[in-house]
Amino acid sequence: MPGLDVPATYQREWFGKDIIAGVVLATLLVPQGMAYAELAGLPTITGLYTTILCLLAYAVFGPSRILVLGPDSALGPMIAATVLPLIASDGDPQKAVALASMLALMVGLIMVLASVAKFGFIADLISKPTMIGYMNGLAITILVGQLPKLFGFKVDSDTFVGDFVGFVQGVANGETVVAAAAVGIAGIVLILALQQWLPKVPAVLVMVVLAIVATTVFDLASRGVSLVGELPRGFPPFTIPRVELSDIGLMFAGALGIALVSLTDTISNSSAFAARSGQEVHGNQEMIGIGAANLAAGFFQGFPVSTSGSRTAVAERSGAKTQLTGVTGAVLVLLMLVLLPGLFRNLPQPALAAVVITASVSLADIPGTVRLWRQSKAEFSLSLAAFLGVAFLGVLPGIGIAVGLSILNIFRRAWWPYETVIGRVPGYEGFHDVNFHPDAKHLPGLVIYRWDAPVFFANVKPFRDNIRQLARTEPKPRWILLAAEPITDVDTTAADVLIELDRELDAQGTSLVFAELKHRVKDKIELYGLKQEIDPHHFYPTLDAAVAAYVALTGATWSTED
C-alpha cells in the first residue's frame, strides 16, 4: 500500500498545491463522471460513485504520485457492449448497475491476480499501430453513438451502422429538437475553442455552467430538452451486486478486454508522467492499484475504471504533488452528493453528449495514422483492420481483433523474417547485405547466407527452401555458410529439418557450415544431436574464421579489386 508511505515523506509546501489541484480536478470529475456513465448505458449517479471510490482506493494502493483514475471514454462502450445485451428488454437500470458493478469486481480480480502472477507484460499485447486503429474506431463509434442525444432524440440501436442510419433517418424525419442541437453543438464548439486557445481554463466546467444558465434563462425543458434531474442524496451505498451465475460467464470476455485496455492505458500514461517527474514505473504495482480501484467501485454501485490522461494532465498543470489531489477531488464530489445533490439538475443531456464527443475526438490519432501510411504500409493495414473491426463488428470484437492482429504481426515477423546473402564490399570492413550493396564480392563457390530470426517449426521450411534454392545456383556452391549470429533459438522441429537438409546437401556436394552461433543456441544444437550429425569442423566462432578456413581448403581468392 504505497499510499501509507506518503505521510513519512510528505513536504509541508506540497499541501496547498495538492488542495488547489484537487479543487480544480473536482470541476472536471463531476461532468465527465456523469457523461461517461451515460456512455456506458448507466444512470449518471453511478459515474460519481465510481469517481469517489476509485480515487480513494488508488490513493492507498497506487504507486503513482499524480495519476488520476476514473470513468473513461474508452471503457464506456466496452461496458455497454458487455452489460446491455444481458439486460431485459425493458432496460432495467437496477440490473444494469448490478451487472456493471460485477464487471468492475471481475476486472479488479483479474488485475490483482495478474499482478501476483507478474503479468505486467500483458500490456504489450497490443502494438501501437493496432492500438491507434482501435482508438480511431472507438472515437468514431462514440461520436456517432452520441449524435442522436446531441440532437435531442433517441435511436434504438447498438451498432455503429445502426446508430448512423438511425441518426440520419431521425434528422430526415424531423425528430431533431432544435434547442437541444443548439446547446449540444455550442457546447462542442466552446470546449474545443477553450482547449485550443485557453488550455488552462477548465473548458468542460465553463461549458456545463453556461449550459445550466441557458436552461434556466430560456426554460429549455419546455422546449423539449432533456435534463439530468436531481441526483440521489448521500454517500455511495455499499452493495454486493447480485447477478445470475450464467451472466458472469458471459461477462468474462468483456472483463478481460476491459482489463487489457485499462492496463495498457494506465501503463502508458504512468510511464509518460513518471518520465516528467523522475519517477519509476512499477507495472505490477500499477495493476494492484487499478485492481483495488475497480474493486472499490464495484462494491459501491460503480463500474470499471481506467487512467485518465486528460484529468491527470489537469492535475499536473494545477500543481499536484501527491494523491492528496485525488482524495481532495473525491471528497468534494462526495460533499456535493451529500449537501448539493440538485446542483446539476438543470444540466441538459445534450451538454453531456458534447462532453463525450469532445473526449472521443481526443481518442483519435489522425497524425499517427498518417505517419503509419507514410512509414509502413503493412502496419497501416493492421491499424485500418483494427479500426474497421471496432466500427463494423463492435467494441469487444474490436479489442479481440486488435490483440489478435498484434500477435499475428509478431508471428509474421518471425515466420517471414528478413533474409539475405552477404559479401565483402570494397572500402568497408566485414560483410554486408547484397540488397544494399549490389557490388559486394564473393569467393568462388562460397555463399554466405543470413537469416534474421529464430529457426522454429513455423519458419523452418521457408528457411530450408531458401537454402535449397541457393544450392541450385550456378556455379554450384561448395559451401553455404550460415551467418548465424541473428538466430536466437532453434527448436526440435527445426533441428530435425536441419539434419535432413545437411544430408541432402552433402549428397549434392555442398556443405552446410555455421558461423557465430550463440552459446545458448549451440548448446541446444548439441542437445538435439546436430553436432553428431553435422561435421564438427563445420562450426566456426566467426565469419572471418569460416572464410579463412574455406580459403585454406579451396585456395579461392578474392578479386584483385579488393
Side-chain angles (χ1 to χ4, degrees):
M1 290 189 266
L4 299 184
D5 298 329
V6 171
T9 59
Y10 197 85
Q11 300 179 26
R12 184 177 298 177
E13 59 268 23
W14 291 351
F15 183 76
K17 294 179 180 179
D18 279 338
I19 296 299
I20 292 172
V23 173
V24 175
L25 182 63
T27 64
L28 199 62
L29 295 176
V30 175
Q32 285 194 343
M34 296 167 69
Y36 297 159
E38 291 261 346
L39 181 61
L42 301 167
T44 53
I45 187 63
T46 60
L48 302 183
Y49 290 164
T50 301
T51 298
I52 294 168
L53 273 302
C54 75
L55 286 173
L56 296 177
Y58 188 82
V60 176
F61 292 94
S64 173
R65 291 179 184 174
I66 63 168
L67 214 59
V68 178
L69 268 66
D72 186 62
S73 57
L75 299 189
M78 299 182 74
I79 297 168
T82 305
V83 169
L84 295 185
L86 301 176
I87 304 174
S89 57
D90 59 354
D92 182 1
Q94 291 185 343
K95 184 175 182 180
V97 171
L99 290 169
S101 297
M102 179 58 71
L103 192 61
L105 295 179
M106 294 171 69
V107 171
L109 286 174
I110 290 171
M111 288 291 192
V112 172
L113 292 175
S115 174
V116 172
K118 309 296 183 184
F119 279 0
F121 66 89
I122 290 178
D124 299 329
L125 280 179
I126 306 183
S127 68
K128 187 172 182 179
T130 49
M131 195 62 180
I132 289 174
Y134 173 77
M135 286 300 181
N136 287 342
L138 203 58
I140 192 68
T141 300
I142 293 172
L143 191 152
V144 171
Q146 291 294 307
L147 287 177
K149 184 188 296 184
L150 190 77
F151 279 64
F153 60 92
K154 293 183 179 181
V155 170
D156 186 15
S157 170
D158 56 2
T159 66
F160 168 75
V161 175
D163 287 341
F164 181 75
V165 172
F167 170 70
V168 172
Q169 289 177 343
V171 172
N173 294 334
E175 297 179 29
T176 300
V177 176
V178 175
V183 169
I185 295 172
I188 293 173
V189 172
L190 180 61
I191 291 174
L192 294 178
L194 290 176
Q195 289 176 342
Q196 178 67 31
W197 290 303
L198 297 172
K200 292 187 177 181
V201 173
V204 171
L205 177 65
V206 171
M207 187 277 292
V208 165
V209 170
L210 291 177
I212 293 173
V213 170
T215 299
T216 305
V217 172
F218 299 106
D219 191 16
L220 295 182
S222 66
R223 300 173 183 269
V225 178
S226 298
L227 306 180
V228 168
E230 187 108 3
L231 297 175
R233 179 187 294 270
F235 190 82
F238 176 81
T239 308
I240 298 177
R242 299 178 181 274
V243 301
E244 299 292 333
L245 190 61
S246 58
D247 291 340
I248 294 178
L250 295 172
M251 288 193 294
F252 185 69
L256 282 177
I258 291 169
L260 181 57
V261 171
S262 178
L263 176 61
T264 302
D265 197 25
T266 299
I267 294 297
S268 61
N269 278 303
S270 178
S271 301
F273 286 100
R276 299 185 195 181
S277 60
Q279 285 185 279
E280 293 184 3
V281 177
H282 304 282
N284 288 301
Q285 184 62 45
E286 284 291 2
M287 295 172 78
I288 291 286
I290 306 169
N294 277 283
L295 289 171
F299 280 121
F300 287 87
Q301 295 190 8
F303 50 84
V305 298
S306 180
T307 304
S308 169
S310 61
R311 276 163 277 177
T312 303
V314 167
E316 183 188 49
R317 287 198 302 266
S318 302
K321 297 298 181 182
T322 69
Q323 284 297 326
L324 179 58
T325 294
V327 172
T328 301
V331 170
L332 290 175
V333 175
L334 178 60
L335 289 176
M336 187 206 77
L337 289 178
V338 173
L339 303 177
L340 298 167
L343 185 62
F344 290 90
R345 63 176 176 271
N346 286 333
L347 176 61
Q349 290 285 359
L352 290 181
V355 174
V356 174
I357 287 174
T358 53
S360 73
V361 171
S362 69
L363 291 177
D365 187 357
I366 305 305
T369 305
V370 173
R371 187 169 60 251
L372 285 176
W373 170 258
R374 292 174 179 170
Q375 294 176 348
S376 173
K377 296 299 189 291
E379 295 198 339
F380 172 81
S381 298
L382 291 175
S383 180
L384 181 61
F387 168 80
L388 295 175
V390 174
F392 292 100
L393 297 180
V395 175
L396 292 181
I399 189 63
I401 289 171
V403 173
L405 287 175
S406 295
I407 295 173
L408 285 175
N409 191 34
I410 296 170
F411 192 68
R412 178 188 65 83
R413 291 174 182 271
W415 192 1
W416 296 308
Y418 186 76
E419 48 86 26
T420 188
V421 171
I422 59 177
R424 282 183 58 181
V425 179
Y428 293 90
E429 293 184 0
F431 299 87
H432 302 275
D433 189 339
V434 298
N435 292 319
F436 297 97
H437 298 278
D439 58 337
K441 307 300 179 183
H442 308 276
L443 283 171
L446 175 66
V447 175
I448 308 177
Y449 177 67
R450 194 181 73 208
W451 175 266
D452 292 352
V455 185
F456 65 109
F457 69 93
N459 68 10
V460 69
K461 290 184 178 178
F463 173 82
R464 177 198 63 191
D465 294 342
N466 290 342
I467 292 182
R468 280 176 172 173
Q469 186 175 355
L470 291 173
R472 290 194 292 266
T473 57
E474 294 293 340
K476 191 174 186 62
R478 292 185 61 177
W479 275 21
I480 295 179
L481 173 58
L482 182 62
E485 194 273 337
I487 297 177
T488 56
D489 197 11
V490 175
D491 70 1
T492 56
T493 303
D496 291 342
V497 172
L498 285 173
I499 291 172
E500 294 174 3
L501 179 62
D502 181 67
R503 292 171 181 169
E504 179 184 322
L505 294 176
D506 281 344
Q508 299 173 11
T510 299
S511 296
L512 183 61
V513 182
F514 298 81
E516 299 184 347
L517 271 173
K518 297 181 183 297
H519 288 293
R520 180 174 176 273
V521 178
K522 190 181 296 183
D523 291 342
K524 280 195 171 186
I525 282 178
E526 290 179 0
L527 180 65
Y528 299 155
L530 262 72
K531 277 207 166 183
Q532 289 73 33
E533 293 285 341
I534 299 176
D535 187 340
H537 294 100
H538 287 172
F539 292 87
Y540 293 91
T542 66
L543 281 174
D544 287 334
V547 171
Y550 180 79
V551 169
L553 176 68
T554 64
T557 59
W558 300 96
S559 65
T560 56
E561 298 175 24
D562 299 337

